[in-house]
Amino acid sequence: MEPGEPCGTTYTVCGGGHGLPLTSAIHGTLAAETEDLLADRNTVPGILAEEVVAHSTSHNILGSPPHTPHTHTYRTRHCNVVLFMSSVRDDGFPTVGLDTKEGRDQLYWKTIRAFQYVHQHHLEQADWFLKADDDTFVVLDNLRWLLANHKPEEPVYFGKRFKPFVKQGYMSGGAGYVLSKEALRRFVEGFRTQVCTHTSSVEDLELGQCMEKMGVQAGDSRDTKGRETFHPFPPERHLMENLRLDHYYPTYSFYPILLGAQSCSDLSISFHYVSPEEMYMLEYLSRHLRPHGYRPRYQPALTARNHTEPREG
Amino acid sequence: MLNFNLKYLCVCMCYMCGGFVLWGQFSYIWGLFCVFVTLIGHNKMGHGTKAHHHEHHHIQAPNKEDVSNLSEGERMELSHSIRVYCIILVKPKDLGNWAAVKETWSKHCDKAEFYSSENVKVFDSVVLNTNDMWVMVRNAYKLAYERYKDEYNWFFLAHPTTFAVIENLKYFLLKKDPSQPFYIGHTVKSGELEYVDDDGGIVLSIESLKRLSKIFEDPDKCPEQGGLLWKLSEDKQLAVCLKYTGVLAENAEDSEGKDVFNTKSVGSLIKEAMANHPQQVVEGCCSDTAITFNGLAPNHMHVMMYGVYRLRAYGHNFKDLPLLPKGSLVDSISSFNINKGVKGKVE
């Protein structure tokens, strides 16, 4: 299910100190963030950044140029490596062309090409691979918290789980989904061996079918209280509407729909259909404005993992 | 008080100087001049000993050092000693916002009451029986003082379109003595008058409220209505009355000089920041210790509650010192019910 017209997808390569071509502005913000994270090893983000390197690619689904620069500014601060995938090379904005055609029916093909590119060029730089739209708001630290309980060698992927059409369910494209390294390997392998084929344009559904065929587990991304972390809509819809009465949502939502304050985890990872203004607002609310002296009720532990293999680069 | 003495001192000096300098027929001209100066002096009230050429009055949040130097016991004592009473002025047309405020941030006040223009069946309120906003403000403050002067030391007045983070208000007030006359908020200058814009919320210390209650009894200085040819808005009128008692408005700012009381919503401020400094939208927009925003629809208040009190980045270390004692957490989860088939709106 992917409402909204895709048009240009933008692909940008940037990375902190990985020997990739960079634009200076991105390098400044990204390098600072990653180094800050790695330097502060006593805090959770530091630990997680060492073990779990999130690598995101993002599709410009709604297509309007004003979206992308804002997402770009925001996302580059938190991902270890950020890639913006586009069908069109845009000199005003760092992109890599995917050599695909435009249009909604091309979306799955773009996704395939994007993941193939990543597999070919960036596989060793990350443990997990996030795909999101440029109108998806993502809290990377919360994604790292979710992934801390899993290993990149597991064939698993996470997102907002939908139930129809695929036995184990599949993940909503717009809400963003994240593949383990093993899951990405199997996805690319699936196309190479033609176990997975490009049968329709419904990107997230097709990817979900491929995942199932390749034995990649559809993970449960809910928090320890059963509240969802990936969201296919902006916060207001989840918090304020009774989505049990929506025409489609109950058919799609894999898990029971919780209402009101229970609809969203404190440690939510994503929201979709977020305008640029709302993206900045959510950033301000989640990372800046806070009630001084107030201790939130939900205080989950980070489950420690034994990690014996040495990490590389 | 100092005004009065100073005026007469000036007048006496004037006569004395005149007496020394001018002798004979010019002394009565000088006498007239001195009388004239006295009359002019009488009209220009409120300047007193303060340097009245200072344009704005600013007041800051406590320094991080001030707070971190406190012992655990001192902090607990301080936070317990700050008791905030919230006055929310409502009318029946505000029912949607009234419900939202009731269900959200007002629960974080030590006590919150809704002062309504008229009785409304759905909700309890203190009924003021007037539609005039200035009269509502007056009577609400009067009643609040009469009933709660011994129980609360800070009084926060807001409209139902305002969203407030009471914890940040308490943090702001941490080292301020309520027995001093504080009148704090987002200030605006209108000619000579600096007043707190009530859209951003108004904070009065108990001392200010005490002085205000007294001046309410003076119909010349602080009339209930019709005292002036032109009608001032209620927030300006409040400032005029307070000024007579020697209480001046102060603009509240954080350690970086950013306003903490905002008369606009986060969304509006973000839009402005996107236009004015697109490279630094979030950094430039709003304070990390913001206390109020205004112009919020009911749904937005619930989203703000989630965004402020719940949604956060895991491990993001807010190097904060706990102010609230254990066990006194206020439930930040909005306890509203979604009516069947209705999209969360209360009409």
Side-chain angles (χ1 to χ4, degrees):
Chain A
M1 177 174 87
E2 197 59 27
E5 283 300 310
C7 60
T9 30
T10 331
Y11 177 56
T12 310
V13 181
C14 34
H18 295 291
L20 294 167
L22 302 162
T23 60
S24 55
I26 301 161
H27 180 249
T29 50
L30 180 60
E33 191 69 27
T34 313
E35 274 154 21
D36 286 343
L37 291 173
L38 292 173
D40 195 0
R41 280 167 172 74
N42 289 325
T43 63
V44 169
I47 293 164
L48 289 176
E50 266 186 300
E51 297 173 343
V52 175
V53 175
H55 172 133
S56 59
T57 64
S58 112
H59 286 214
N60 184 346
I61 293 300
L62 294 184
S64 51
H67 257 112
T68 318
H70 295 291
T71 317
H72 178 274
T73 309
Y74 162 72
R75 195 104 70 211
T76 51
R77 298 216 204 128
H78 301 284
C79 288
N80 299 86
V81 183
V82 180
L83 298 170
F84 288 83
M85 318 288 288
S86 178
S87 59
V88 177
R89 190 187 186 93
D90 179 347
D91 287 334
F93 190 76
T95 62
V96 169
L98 286 175
D99 204 23
T100 63
K101 295 196 196 86
E102 256 321 310
R104 186 184 186 153
D105 58 323
Q106 297 297 315
L107 185 56
Y108 186 40
W109 191 233
K110 276 186 226 163
T111 308
I112 297 163
R113 297 283 291 125
F115 275 124
Q116 284 172 336
Y117 183 96
V118 165
H119 180 266
Q120 193 177 352
H121 298 277
H122 301 289
L123 193 64
E124 293 314 312
Q125 293 172 323
D127 301 315
W128 297 88
F129 300 83
L130 169 73
K131 187 234 100 159
D133 293 353
D134 77 342
D135 58 348
T136 311
F137 175 79
V138 180
V139 186
L140 264 297
D141 287 320
N142 294 344
L143 177 60
R144 291 189 176 102
W145 169 75
L146 171 74
L147 300 177
N149 288 316
H150 298 273
K151 292 183 181 169
E153 294 75 40
E154 283 174 49
V156 67
Y157 77 125
F158 294 97
K160 165 63 187 180
R161 201 166 172 186
F162 283 158
K163 69 181 173 215
F165 315 124
V166 182
K167 190 152 170 277
Q168 68 163 3
Y170 67 98
M171 305 305 171
S172 155
Y177 49 76
V178 58
L179 275 60
S180 68
K181 187 180 288 204
E182 180 57 28
L184 176 59
R185 282 206 186 100
R186 291 193 189 191
F187 179 71
V188 171
E189 180 72 6
F191 272 92
R192 195 185 66 77
T193 58
Q194 301 194 336
V195 170
C196 301
T197 53
H198 179 211
T199 53
S200 86
S201 63
V202 186
E203 166 247 338
D204 45 11
L205 173 55
E206 290 295 332
L207 188 131
Q209 284 171 339
C210 182
M211 293 285 104
E212 187 164 76
K213 282 183 198 164
M214 297 306 294
V216 175
Q217 168 82 35
D220 181 353
S221 57
R222 295 176 299 169
D223 72 13
T224 56
K225 299 238 168 197
R227 293 183 294 225
E228 299 263 14
T229 55
F230 289 82
H231 302 283
F233 299 121
E236 188 174 335
R237 280 207 74 188
H238 289 284
L239 294 167
M240 302 305 300
E241 280 184 44
N242 185 345
L243 289 173
R244 290 179 191 162
L245 305 178
D246 184 77
H247 281 130
Y248 301 102
Y249 199 67
T251 321
Y252 278 81
S253 189
F254 189 92
Y255 299 111
I257 299 169
L258 302 181
L259 300 181
Q262 301 308 311
S263 64
C264 302
S265 173
D266 284 24
L267 301 175
S268 283
I269 295 168
S270 74
F271 293 96
H272 188 214
Y273 298 119
V274 175
S275 68
E277 297 82 20
E278 193 171 4
M279 214 166 279
Y280 286 117
M281 188 180 78
L282 290 170
E283 166 84 349
Y284 170 66
L285 294 176
S286 62
R287 301 180 80 94
H288 293 264
L289 178 63
R290 71 206 185 270
H292 273 63
Y294 178 83
R295 198 174 141 80
R297 286 179 181 281
Y298 187 57
Q299 299 284 336
L302 175 76
T303 307
R305 292 193 299 140
N306 284 330
H307 201 76
T308 51
E309 302 102 71
R311 293 299 330 138
E312 279 173 30
Chain B
M1 282 301 134
L2 226 43
N3 286 357
F4 183 88
N5 290 337
L6 207 57
K7 260 184 292 216
Y8 277 79
L9 184 65
C10 289
V11 168
C12 290
M13 291 290 287
C14 195
Y15 278 114
M16 278 161 60
C17 293
F20 274 118
V21 169
L22 301 164
W23 188 254
Q25 64 255 74
F26 296 112
S27 60
Y28 69 92
I29 296 172
W30 183 251
L32 283 173
F33 174 74
C34 289
V35 171
F36 180 68
V37 166
T38 314
L39 288 171
I40 300 284
H42 184 74
N43 289 339
K44 264 180 154 193
M45 36 100 276
H47 292 293
T49 50
K50 269 205 168 145
H52 54 267
H53 52 267
H54 178 76
E55 287 302 315
H56 282 275
H57 297 92
H58 305 270
I59 184 167
Q60 280 216 331
N63 283 328
K64 289 203 171 84
E65 299 79 49
D66 287 346
V67 179
S68 58
N69 285 339
L70 298 170
S71 71
E72 176 81 24
E74 281 170 335
R75 259 184 275 126
M76 286 299 156
E77 209 188 299
L78 262 182
S79 71
H80 273 125
S81 71
I82 302 170
R83 290 184 49 76
V84 176
Y85 175 82
C86 296
I87 298 168
I88 302 109
L89 299 175
V90 288
K91 293 181 176 181
K93 67 175 174 64
D94 303 320
L95 210 57
N97 274 80
W98 181 341
V101 172
K102 198 168 148 64
E103 286 159 0
T104 61
W105 64 263
S106 64
K107 291 187 183 182
H108 292 238
C109 304
D110 291 289
K111 188 176 179 68
E113 284 189 299
F114 293 82
Y115 288 71
S116 179
S117 57
E118 59 190 84
N119 186 45
V120 159
K121 272 193 211 141
V122 193
F123 297 128
D124 290 332
S125 63
V126 179
V127 182
L128 299 173
N129 288 316
T130 175
N131 247 318
D132 182 303
M133 194 46 82
W134 168 234
V135 178
M136 286 181 74
V137 168
R138 275 182 70 105
N139 292 345
Y141 275 133
K142 252 200 246 171
L143 286 166
Y145 181 69
E146 277 163 31
R147 297 187 297 162
Y148 299 114
K149 59 181 181 292
D150 299 319
E151 292 178 55
Y152 302 95
N153 44 21
W154 294 96
F155 295 79
F156 174 62
L157 183 138
H159 291 292
T161 48
T162 307
F163 180 85
V165 185
I166 300 297
E167 288 78 7
N168 287 347
L169 175 58
K170 290 192 176 191
Y171 178 75
F172 186 84
L173 298 175
L174 201 57
K175 299 208 104 189
K176 292 168 177 71
D177 179 4
S179 68
Q180 294 299 306
F182 287 105
Y183 165 39
I184 300 166
H186 181 106
T187 62
V188 177
K189 204 97 203 286
S190 172
E192 279 295 315
L193 182 72
E194 189 168 2
Y195 66 97
V196 171
D197 188 335
D198 61 351
D199 279 348
I202 306 173
V203 176
L204 294 181
S205 61
I206 183 69
E207 175 60 26
S208 295
L209 189 58
K210 183 175 168 191
R211 296 190 190 189
L212 186 65
S213 298
K214 282 216 182 69
I215 202 87
F216 281 150
E217 291 158 25
D218 185 334
D220 293 320
K221 298 205 174 97
C222 192
E224 185 160 324
Q225 40 198 355
L228 301 159
L229 282 172
W230 62 94
K231 204 154 190 330
L232 287 180
S233 61
E234 68 281 358
D235 44 6
K236 283 184 190 153
Q237 187 62 73
L238 180 68
V240 168
C241 294
L242 282 168
K243 207 171 179 187
Y244 274 116
T245 72
V247 180
L248 299 179
E250 291 178 289
N251 191 57
E253 294 158 16
D254 67 12
S255 52
E256 293 166 16
K258 285 196 193 137
D259 287 343
V260 289
F261 290 85
N262 297 288
T263 55
K264 298 176 188 174
S265 64
V266 182
S268 297
L269 292 166
I270 292 279
K271 282 201 181 93
E272 285 178 17
M274 285 168 74
N276 298 334
H277 37 90
Q279 297 306 315
Q280 296 265 296
V281 175
V282 177
E283 295 78 1
C285 151
C286 319
S287 174
D288 281 12
T289 54
I291 298 172
T292 60
F293 296 100
N294 188 53
L296 279 85
N299 275 7
H300 297 158
M301 294 218 186
H302 290 284
V303 175
M304 284 293 284
M305 287 303 287
Y306 171 73
V308 174
Y309 289 94
R310 291 187 48 218
L311 178 66
R312 60 195 182 278
Y314 189 83
H316 193 64
N317 253 341
F318 298 118
K319 290 170 185 87
D320 236 8
L321 304 167
L323 289 185
L324 299 176
K326 288 191 178 79
S328 74
L329 291 174
V330 178
D331 193 341
S332 70
I333 297 171
S334 314
S335 59
F336 67 99
N337 288 315
I338 298 178
N339 293 327
K340 288 190 192 135
V342 175
K343 281 186 180 182
K345 276 187 182 155
V346 180
E347 285 303 289

